[in-house]
Amino acid sequence: VERAWYRRTTREPALAKLVTATQARTEPFHRWLVFKQAFSPGLVRRFLDTAAHLGGPTGDAPLLDPFSGTGTFVLECARKGVPAIGFEPLRASAFVTRVASATSFPPLPNLDGCSSWQEFAARLTEPLHQAALICVIASQQTARGELNKNAPPIIDALRDQAKTMEDDLRTPLLAQNPVLPGDGRTLAMLADASVGGILTSPPYLSRHDYTKLTQPYEEVYAFWHGSATETDPRKNQLPAHGSAPTARRRRSTDPAVSEIVETLTMIGEKRWSRTVGAYFQGVFDSLRTFHRVVQTGCPCWITIAGSRIKDVYIPTDTIVAEFATTIGFNVKEILVARDVTRNRRRFGSLSGVAPRESILVMQTT
Ligand SMILES: C[S@@+](CC[C@H](N)C(=O)[O-])C[C@H]1O[C@@H](n2cnc3c(N)ncnc32)[C@H](O)[C@@H]1O
């Protein structure tokens, strides 16, 4: 699989800054809540400007990001007046994206005497104010999910956040693009052939559980809106890291995935073997669903990264490209944005190979 597709990859180093969140820190709306795993609004603009057959034959079918995160896709579409819809199980992220469709920022209430986030939360009833506190608590975490001891006092950070949001809302969004709770693997709410294009980035296989970083501000959201009961947002997560809880899974019929799963089992990494099997099962289920909901001929771009887990090379982009072809996608290009590690090694007859972060440019046939 790797040999067949490797030749068809195109390196485009300029894409490296589009597959990371860096740009989001300075752009209106996107700077409210910056997620380490986000892609950049520039990637959305490239999709809107260059993807062929967007919106289907009538040109107005809504676009979709089934793994919405902090809503980079739906927000950027909304800034351009393009109808789009997102799905995201993490409730605080979806909430912040939703409230961005307001047209002005109401003045903060009297917050004198508040010190802990719970005391602030108790005084905040306006959704935009609640979103501002969620963003502040998110920004006070270190990259490891601990409280940053040098973070400014909540009151100062909240006033700054309110000012940023107020400034951005002076140019309100041009479309109301919803982000719904839901599972990107099934999209049960969406009818067949109902969307006019997809740009998305599912979670990447990784040693780190990035959902841990969202826990502190998910807790803030739960202060007003209750804990998730029937649908625990973390249970809906596509299993993507070593400690992910994985239910019994179907045995993969994909030869490349089976080879990885068997190798991991053979070297005693049973837990990783289960996670990797469940991860690809989730990604493949998502691809089948994307094929079901997208109108024929419309674009489907997927940002995805490979990894090296316990020294086992996992070329996720080429594995997904191969699978997508078997279910009726035309994979037009694999654009390689960057190597995920500097460490290049021999892999079979290929030399100098490293896991890549790539964009699969596909179209339904
Ligand atoms: C790589 S991030 C996407 C980031 C997004 N592109 C952005 O710019 O913020 C993957 C997202 O998928 C979400 N996710 C995980 N499992 C999911 C599922 N089964 N259905 C929908 N979303 C899911 C995660 O919570 C995470 O926010």
Side-chain angles (χ1 to χ4, degrees), residues 304-323:
I304 202 138
S307 31
R308 211 184 277 283
I309 304 280
K310 303 288 171 191
D311 235 18
V312 177
Y313 176 56
I314 307 182
T316 309
D317 54 356
T318 52
I319 293 174
V320 172
E322 174 76 8
F323 178 80

Side-chain angles (χ1 to χ4, degrees), residues 29 32 100 102-105 128 164-172:
F29 294 97
W32 294 10
T103 49
S104 64
F105 192 89
L128 274 167
T164 300
M165 291 167 80
E166 189 179 357
D167 286 351
D168 293 353
L169 287 170
R170 289 208 176 93
T171 312

Side-chain angles (χ1 to χ4, degrees), residues 172-186:
L173 297 175
L174 300 174
Q176 302 248 333
N177 287 341
V179 175
L180 306 169
D183 192 332
R185 290 168 290 195
T186 49

Side-chain angles (χ1 to χ4, degrees), residues 341-360:
T341 63
R342 294 234 176 99
N343 202 344
R344 293 166 156 268
R345 303 205 201 148
R346 169 164 284 282
F347 179 63
S349 59
L350 299 167
S351 57
V353 175
R356 304 164 291 268
E357 184 164 14
S358 309
I359 302 172
L360 305 187

Side-chain angles (χ1 to χ4, degrees), residues 52-66:
H53 309 292
L54 263 187
T58 53
D60 58 2
L63 307 181
L64 170 71
D65 183 351

Side-chain angles (χ1 to χ4, degrees), residues 20-21 24 30 33-41 43-44 65-73 86-91 93 97 180-187 199-204 210-211 214 233-240 282 286 303:
T20 63
H30 302 288
L33 181 60
V34 179
F35 189 32
K36 197 173 168 1
Q37 288 181 295
F39 49 51
S40 85
L43 181 63
V44 184
D65 183 351
F67 294 93
S68 176
T70 42
T72 311
F73 182 69
F87 287 88
E88 174 55 53
L90 295 175
R91 301 185 311 157
S93 307
T97 312
L180 306 169
D183 192 332
R185 290 168 290 195
T186 49
L187 299 172
L199 170 62
T200 199
S201 167
Y204 297 167
Y210 287 113
T211 61
T214 67
R234 295 192 63 190
K235 266 201 208 134
N236 277 343
Q237 288 287 320
L238 200 148
S286 307
T303 302

Side-chain angles (χ1 to χ4, degrees), residues 59-346:
D60 58 2
L63 307 181
L64 170 71
D65 183 351
F67 294 93
S68 176
T70 42
T72 311
F73 182 69
V74 292
L75 286 173
E76 194 55 25
C77 287
R79 290 181 73 202
K80 308 253 177 253
V82 175
I85 176 168
F87 287 88
E88 174 55 53
L90 295 175
R91 301 185 311 157
S93 307
F95 175 71
V96 174
T97 312
R98 274 200 301 275
V99 300
S101 57
T103 49
S104 64
F105 192 89
L108 285 171
N110 179 2
L111 297 168
D112 290 349
C114 296
S115 148
S116 67
W117 73 256
Q118 289 86 346
E119 287 164 340
F120 283 96
R123 302 249 189 113
L124 301 176
T125 52
E126 288 283 345
L128 274 167
H129 296 163
Q130 296 178 350
L133 184 63
I134 288 172
C135 297
V136 164
I137 299 305
S139 69
Q140 297 200 326
Q141 310 301 313
T142 64
R144 297 165 143 242
E146 290 147 10
L147 186 71
N148 180 354
K149 293 200 178 72
N150 300 322
I154 295 180
I155 185 64
D156 296 345
L158 192 58
R159 291 216 169 96
D160 281 353
Q161 183 71 31
K163 168 91 176 56
T164 300
M165 291 167 80
E166 189 179 357
D167 286 351
D168 293 353
L169 287 170
R170 289 208 176 93
T171 312
L173 297 175
L174 300 174
Q176 302 248 333
N177 287 341
V179 175
L180 306 169
D183 192 332
R185 290 168 290 195
T186 49
L187 299 172
M189 259 180 252
L190 293 186
D192 298 359
S194 57
V195 305
I198 294 179
L199 170 62
T200 199
S201 167
Y204 297 167
L205 264 178
S206 156
R207 264 165 299 173
H208 308 287
D209 176 7
Y210 287 113
T211 61
K212 277 206 184 125
L213 303 182
T214 67
Q215 277 300 95
Y217 56 94
E218 283 290 320
E219 247 174 67
V220 179
Y221 175 86
F223 181 92
W224 305 290
H225 305 279
S227 306
T229 44
E230 311 125 34
T231 49
D232 176 352
R234 295 192 63 190
K235 266 201 208 134
N236 277 343
Q237 288 287 320
L238 200 148
H241 60 92
S243 55
T246 53
R248 279 184 75 79
R249 61 177 178 81
R250 303 189 292 270
R251 186 175 265 276
S252 179
T253 51
D254 183 276
V257 175
S258 301
E259 187 180 323
I260 296 165
V261 164
E262 279 161 27
T263 307
L264 284 165
T265 308
M266 221 160 59
I267 61 171
E269 295 291 342
K270 281 213 177 111
R271 196 173 179 98
W272 265 116
S273 155
R274 274 203 304 276
T275 300
V276 171
Y279 175 77
F280 279 102
Q281 186 181 302
V283 172
F284 293 170
D285 287 346
S286 307
L287 282 166
R288 284 193 199 93
T289 297
F290 301 169
H291 197 269
R292 173 180 74 76
V293 299
V294 172
Q295 296 181 358
T296 307
C298 289
C300 182
W301 290 19
I302 299 180
T303 302
I304 202 138
S307 31
R308 211 184 277 283
I309 304 280
K310 303 288 171 191
D311 235 18
V312 177
Y313 176 56
I314 307 182
T316 309
D317 54 356
T318 52
I319 293 174
V320 172
E322 174 76 8
F323 178 80
T325 308
T326 64
I327 60 165
F329 281 104
N330 172 15
V331 180
K332 297 165 82 178
E333 288 181 290
I334 300 180
L335 301 174
V336 178
R338 58 176 184 166
D339 286 339
V340 177
T341 63
R342 294 234 176 99
N343 202 344
R344 293 166 156 268
R345 303 205 201 148
R346 169 164 284 282

